[in-house]
């Protein structure tokens, strides 16, 4: 798939801190520009009998919005994050136990779902849960002129005619999750996927740098 | 002569045992031969039937069956004042209900995650595809508009809920007849003329196709409930009549390459034509009776 | 294979990193955080790759949640007595069982004196993902060997699993630095629990706070802190 060279993958400034909460078994905060999400992971812990799965761990994801109570929109996002995490985690190594992931939205300035995914991945890694690969979230917006904007702000999302969020895996850089808004052509979709795959390499490098920074004191 | 029939019975019970003990292996052994336990090919949908106007008390309704999966959609119009931030728009409120009746996996009580995610999916498709423009259901700017309550209920759950719900919704929307409403300039009250009813203006026809991924590589269409629970990933592609994509919904699971994705999109486009044809024939067959 | 792994020893690795066999497979022992996947070695935890002669590799990660492993010694809290076994909380996903016969000198008549709420230092003899974990307070010769009920008048607290492993390492620098300040008793369980007893509550608290704070410190920072504290304490 051809991606014009001029469309340099521009991501906003990223920030990440792991292990910043004392109670959860793993925690991370992820900042993309002004969007910010805090994630906490508990587990593997005791599981309710009604939710027990005999051959793998039960994963629960909760997304808390900045204001108000979680609604149907959050439920749909939770489903996306949960199924993405389930595919990355080697949950068969902890059967009959529960993993819970809580994502607290600190501020929403666009690309929220991808920020949630990134925070979730860093928190799972911090908790030391076994994973087969990493994943990252990338949001692309197509503006009315047909240009692709990566990691858009809330304003850019509002002005665009289509917004797509993908989760890309680190092993083969393929699409694990996709959630779209607005209508678009097949060609536009393939371009956005190609752009997201290129952006994912940057994000995975960022992951590596921040984990390295975390372990720098014990090297 | 006794022996062969006995042999057949024996083999069936073996197969049933295999299916219960190793459901995934059972499916794999079929997929290896490019077919499925119910005799379908990998890219084949189950028989889809459509009935329009099934609920006489609703303003529009439709019943869809895809194999055993049965979904009914009823649409009720109510009058309300438009939202403050968009005074020239009406409301479309979809809701998907998965009652305990349709499958043992759903419990009574507040809607579960799957039902809520399905409702959100339908709402996203309505917004992305602009199946009915929200401006069209506004009667008087800033004063009066229609609220279309689209209640989608599953009567029998055997997989592929999203496709069935979308077809039911689209057919029901095409079936909606709303009375003419005018605002009396002197009294400032709404007057409803029940004699004069009008169809909605359907600007786009979104149709979905669902896929299930087995073992990270084999893609099948229109999964049954059993196939859904054994698959490693699900995906729904929604296209409209101009071959544009309205939604590419893949809530996680194992990853898929660009080529596989392209195959799914092409299959979704052929499915769109199949469903449009079905809908046309059903609508034509209903008309003469009136 | 061993070469490309050896090159990375001491470096930070992330889940999903893969090492594949170039030539014929060699004998290799994969410790925590590494998994053998066909002809490949897959990293499944983030952390630093460590190596021990001749061919042992593992990932040293800073985890907080304990996952029971056979042979590890832990500090458990007795939470219930049910029939012939005690249920012990070790911080894992389920309670471990501890038979009342698994104490030194215990017989059917001579039951050990264990109450709910007691701390026990014990060892896993069964710990895998499919079975209930089981603890014992005797070694293979039937001797207590330091295990059993303990903990009158001390202080129990939790630290990260990485810090616990650093404390238990032979010639641990942290322990050596701590010992210089004042005498105290310490029990360290691999499940992240540490029990400390000193001549006064104040001193026990000092040790607890120091351990918690030296989790994310370099050696120099730690020594500077310890010096400041011991100047103030004496």
């Amino acid at each position: 798939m051809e991606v014009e060279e001029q469309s340099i993958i521009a991501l906003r400034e990223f920030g990440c801190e792991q292990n910043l909460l004392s109670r959860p078994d793993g925690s991370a905060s992820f900042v993309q520009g002004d969007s910010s999400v805090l994630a906490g992971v508990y587990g593997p812990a005791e599981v309710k009998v009604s939710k027990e799965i005999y051959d793998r761990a039960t994963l629960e994801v909760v997304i808390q919005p900045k204001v108000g109570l979680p609604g149907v929109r959050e439920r749909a996002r939770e489903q996306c994050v949960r199924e993405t995490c389930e595919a990355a985690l080697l949950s068969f190594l902890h059967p009959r136990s529960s993993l819970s992931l809580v994502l607290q939205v600190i501020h929403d300035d666009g690309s929220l779902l991808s920020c949630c995914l990134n925070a979730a991945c860093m928190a799972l890694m911090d908790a030391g849960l076994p994973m087969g690969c990493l994943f990252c979230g990338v949001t692309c917006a197509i503006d009315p002129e047909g240009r692709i904007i990566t990691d858009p702000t809330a304003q850019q999302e509002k002005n665009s005619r289509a917004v797509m969020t993908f989760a890309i895996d680190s092993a083969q850089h393929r699409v694990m999750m996709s959630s779209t808004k607005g209508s678009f052509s097949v060609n536009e979709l393939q371009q956005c996927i190609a752009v997201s795959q290129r952006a994912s390499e940057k994000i995975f490098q960022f992951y590596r740098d921040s984990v390295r920074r975390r372990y720098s004191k014990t090297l | 002569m006794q022996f062969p029939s006995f042999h057949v019975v024996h083999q069936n019970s073996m197969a049933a045992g295999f299916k219960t003990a190793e459901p995934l292996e059972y499916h794999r052994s079929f997929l290896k031969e490019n077919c499925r336990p119910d005799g379908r090919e990998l890219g084949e949908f189950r028989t889809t039937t459509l009935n329009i106007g099934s609920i006489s008390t609703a303003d529009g309704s439709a019943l869809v069956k895809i194999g055993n999966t049965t979904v009914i959609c009823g649409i009720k119009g109510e009058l309300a004042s438009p939202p403050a931030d968009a005074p020239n728009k009406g409301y479309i409120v979809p809701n998907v209900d998965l009652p305990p009746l349709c499958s043992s996996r759903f419990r009574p009580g507040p809607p579960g995650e799957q039902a809520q995610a399905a409702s959100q999916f339908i709402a996203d498709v309505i917004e992305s595809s602009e199946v009915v423009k929200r401006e069209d259901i506004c009667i008087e700017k800033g004063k009066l508009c229609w609220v279309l309550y689209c209640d989608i209920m599953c009567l029998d759950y055997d997989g592929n809920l999203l496709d069935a719900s979308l077809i039911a919704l689209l057919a029901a929307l095409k079936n909606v007849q709303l009375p003419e409403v005018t605002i009396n300039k002197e009294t400032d009250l709404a007057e409803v003329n029940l004699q004069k009813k009008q169809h909605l203006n359907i600007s786009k026809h979104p149709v979905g196709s669902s896929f299930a991924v087995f073992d990270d590589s084999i893609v099948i269409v229109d999964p049954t409930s059993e196939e859904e629970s054994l698959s490693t990933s699900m995906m729904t592609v929604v296209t409209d009549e101009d071959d544009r994509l309205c939604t590419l919904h893949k809530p996680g699971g194992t990853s898929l390459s660009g080529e596989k994705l392209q195959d799914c999109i092409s299959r979704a486009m052929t499915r769109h034509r199949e469903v449009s044809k079905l809908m046309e024939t059903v609508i034509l067959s209903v008309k003469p009776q009136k | 294979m061993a070469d490309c792994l050896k090159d990375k020893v001491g470096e930070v690795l992330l889940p999903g990193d893969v090492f594949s066999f170039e030539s014929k497979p060699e004998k290799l022992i994969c410790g925590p955080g590494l998994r053998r996947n066909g002809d490949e070695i897959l990293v499944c935890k983030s952390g630093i790759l460590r190596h021990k002669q001749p061919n042992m590799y593992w990932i040293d990660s800073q985890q907080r949640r304990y996952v029971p492993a056979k042979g590890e010694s832990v500090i458990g809290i007795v939470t219930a007595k049910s029939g012939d076994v005690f249920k012990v909380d070790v911080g894992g996903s389920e309670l471990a069982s501890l038979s009342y016969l698994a104490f030194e000198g215990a017989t059917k008549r001579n039951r050990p004196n264990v109450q709910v709420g007691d701390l026990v230092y014990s060892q896993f003899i069964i710990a895998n993902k499919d079975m209930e974990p089981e603890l014992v307070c005797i070694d293979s010769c039937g001797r207590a060997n330091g295990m059993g009920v303990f903990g009158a008048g001390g202080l129990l607290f939790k630290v990260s699993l990485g810090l616990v492993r650093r404390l238990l390492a032979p010639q641990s620098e942290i322990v050596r630095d701590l010992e210089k300040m004042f005498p105290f008793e310490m029990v360290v369980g691999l499940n992240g629990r540490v029990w400390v007893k000193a001549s006064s509550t104040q001193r026990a608290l000092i040790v607890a706070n120091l351990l918690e704070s030296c989790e994310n410190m370099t050696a120099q920072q730690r020594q500077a802190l310890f010096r400041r504290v011991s100047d103030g304490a004496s």
Side-chain angles (χ1 to χ4, degrees), chain C residues 64-136:
Chain C
R64 285 210 199 137
R65 172 69 66 163
Y66 181 66
V67 178
K70 191 177 168 183
E72 292 192 344
S73 300
V74 295
I75 298 177
I77 304 169
V78 179
T79 56
K81 284 185 190 181
S82 60
D84 294 350
V85 294
F86 303 110
K87 290 286 174 197
V88 182
D89 169 36
V90 290
S93 65
E94 57 182 324
L95 296 178
S97 69
L98 172 61
S99 166
Y100 73 90
L101 290 172
F103 288 86
E104 190 183 65
T107 58
K108 287 223 163 192
R109 293 187 164 220
N110 179 22
R111 292 193 172 214
N113 181 23
V114 180
Q115 303 302 323
V116 170
D118 279 355
L119 298 181
V120 285
Y121 188 68
S122 49
Q123 199 178 21
F124 278 106
I125 55 159
I126 296 179
N128 59 49
K129 65 188 174 71
D130 299 312
M131 287 168 75
E132 185 189 27
E134 194 177 330
L135 292 164
V136 287

Side-chain angles (χ1 to χ4, degrees), chain B residues 33-48:
Chain B
E33 307 294 330
N34 277 331
C35 68
R36 288 149 76 173
D38 51 9
R40 283 188 284 161
E41 282 173 32
L42 301 189
E44 193 180 337
F45 276 83
R46 289 171 284 181
T47 320
T48 309

